[in-house]
Amino acid sequence: MKHLLKLMDLSAKEITEILNTADQLKYEKKNGIPHHLLTGKTLGLIFAKSSTRTRVSFEVGMFDLGGMSLFLSARDLQIGRGEPVRDTARVLSRYLDGIMIRTFDQKEVESLAEFGTIPVINGLTDYCHPCQVLADLMTIREYKGATEGLKLCYVGDGNNMTNSLIVGGIKLGMEVSVACPKGYEPDADIMKWAHESGRFSCSPDVLEMAAGADVLYTDVWASMGQEAEAEERKKVFKDYQINDKTMKAAKSDAMVLHCLPAHREEEITAKVFEEHSREIFDEAENRLHAQKAVLVKCML
Ligand code: CP
Ligand code: NVA
């Protein structure tokens, strides 16, 4: 695997191999077994948006793997002053062994990969968040043993998380349903692709979509970059919440996942969040193991 730009580029086999590697690296980390697979390698972390989990998991991940990382705020790079992505890509390729980038436009990530000569990893764009969904799938496998045949229901905005969850879930044999208000659906091409699997549904009816779900998932109503719409979105999304009613519609042993950060009493009640905090924070931890697996697959 050269890059991780979006999950659509990966086969089910490649995704499963990443998850298997992540499980192995987690086992080794927990048991103090060193795995310096990327000794002497350098990873640049370009951030045009805020981050807690992605930044820390990639920085610690590179350390665990025997390499080093450089935090590069897009605000401080010349890219933030208009230096073209294709030039940045060619320059950074001369210094680094890999780049992780979090930005707005998916095209910027694709251009870095096109013009650079080193692996590029997508740490979130407005379009998708593949790294997060690899950690999510890892967590689902841990709790449920497998992904095939399970139903995942996403409640909320049809955003970057939704796009990647649909692709990752369907590729690993899950049924995926999305409950979102009209006009806030996931990407149209992804939905078209998902419908062809016969295992996808999308409707404004939360309880119908959540019926019989094994996994309930939600994310913020206003993503990074949508701050100006936040108040309007609070009105549009007020019924798109994981709460006791949603939980009742799902299976009695349904797990709840949230990519975090969470807004209590908006997309999820504080009660449901705390009742499912074990799986939600296992999910956050798994970012580290899953990101290390991606680094190994792309940079070894
Ligand atoms: N879930 C996630 O990507 O978190 P950060 O924004 O903190 O990186
Ligand atoms: N949809 C959220 C995800 C954060 C991890 C955002 O883009 O802000």
Side-chain angles (χ1 to χ4, degrees):
M1 192 171 104
K2 173 89 202 264
H3 306 289
L4 175 60
L5 307 179
K6 53 186 183 300
L7 290 182
M8 200 60 108
D9 299 337
L10 304 189
S11 64
K13 184 165 174 274
E14 283 173 309
I15 295 175
T16 304
E17 278 170 11
I18 293 171
L19 301 186
N20 292 344
T21 303
D23 289 345
Q24 175 68 24
L25 292 169
K26 181 170 183 173
Y27 171 82
E28 291 179 4
K29 171 115 178 157
K30 298 278 182 198
N31 290 282
I33 303 166
H35 38 247
H36 291 164
L37 300 168
L38 298 180
T39 302
K41 302 244 172 146
T42 52
L43 178 76
L45 305 172
I46 303 178
F47 281 95
K49 292 175 175 173
S50 303
S51 171
T52 298
R53 283 142 287 265
T54 306
R55 177 177 176 182
V56 177
S57 59
F58 273 103
E59 292 213 24
V60 174
M62 274 310 274
F63 176 82
D64 284 354
L65 292 167
M68 69 161 284
S69 58
L70 293 85
F71 174 72
L72 304 167
S73 164
R75 251 201 321 256
D76 301 326
L77 292 174
Q78 295 289 8
I79 206 170
R81 296 178 58 244
E83 183 169 15
V85 176
R86 58 187 182 279
D87 293 356
T88 307
R90 286 179 285 188
V91 171
L92 292 182
S93 293
R94 307 283 179 117
Y95 303 138
L96 299 167
D97 299 299
I99 300 174
M100 190 245 60
I101 176 166
R102 166 170 288 195
T103 189
F104 295 86
D105 191 349
Q106 176 74 13
K107 281 198 212 94
E108 198 176 329
V109 179
E110 308 263 348
S111 297
L112 262 188
E114 184 185 345
F115 291 99
T117 55
I118 55 177
V120 173
I121 298 167
N122 183 344
L124 177 148
T125 60
D126 293 343
Y127 175 66
C128 64
H129 196 1
C131 287
Q132 176 68 50
V133 170
L134 291 170
D136 300 338
L137 294 168
M138 179 182 178
T139 313
I140 294 168
R141 289 201 332 175
E142 278 179 354
Y143 275 76
K144 301 284 183 190
T147 51
E148 287 77 14
L150 297 181
K151 177 175 176 179
L152 180 147
C153 170
Y154 175 93
V155 177
D157 184 24
N159 60 16
N160 43 10
M161 277 310 315
T162 329
N163 288 336
S164 288
L165 280 167
I166 294 169
V167 177
I170 299 275
K171 286 204 178 209
L172 288 203
M174 300 176 85
E175 181 189 337
V176 179
S177 63
V178 174
C180 63
K182 275 207 163 48
Y184 293 86
E185 288 86 3
D187 179 80
D189 289 337
I190 289 179
M191 287 210 292
K192 187 167 173 280
W193 171 87
H195 274 302
E196 283 163 15
S197 73
R199 289 181 275 115
F200 178 71
S201 50
C202 179
S203 140
D205 189 326
V206 178
L207 297 184
E208 189 189 321
M209 291 296 99
D214 301 280
V215 185
L216 285 172
Y217 201 115
T218 191
D219 181 20
V220 292
W221 290 340
S223 286
M224 290 181 276
Q226 296 174 331
E227 288 76 10
E229 297 171 33
E231 285 312 306
E232 168 67 14
R233 282 172 169 265
K234 276 186 192 165
K235 290 180 211 144
V236 175
F237 285 99
K238 70 175 177 23
D239 297 326
Y240 291 83
Q241 184 185 64
I242 298 189
N243 51 33
D244 284 343
K245 259 191 351 208
T246 332
M247 293 307 301
K248 240 195 168 116
K251 286 213 179 107
S252 57
D253 63 348
M255 61 191 291
V256 175
L257 294 177
H258 192 308
C259 55
L260 304 176
H263 292 134
R264 288 163 175 78
E265 309 309 334
E266 291 188 17
E267 74 273 6
I268 189 165
T269 58
K271 178 171 179 285
V272 172
F273 185 89
E274 290 308 329
E275 282 168 356
H276 292 271
S277 56
R278 191 166 76 95
E279 58 253 35
I280 292 170
F281 290 102
D282 279 344
E283 175 192 17
E285 176 190 327
N286 284 340
R287 291 295 305 278
L288 172 64
H289 312 300
Q291 266 54 128
K292 282 162 72 176
V294 170
L295 290 168
V296 168
K297 291 283 174 203
C298 291
M299 289 172 68
L300 191 62

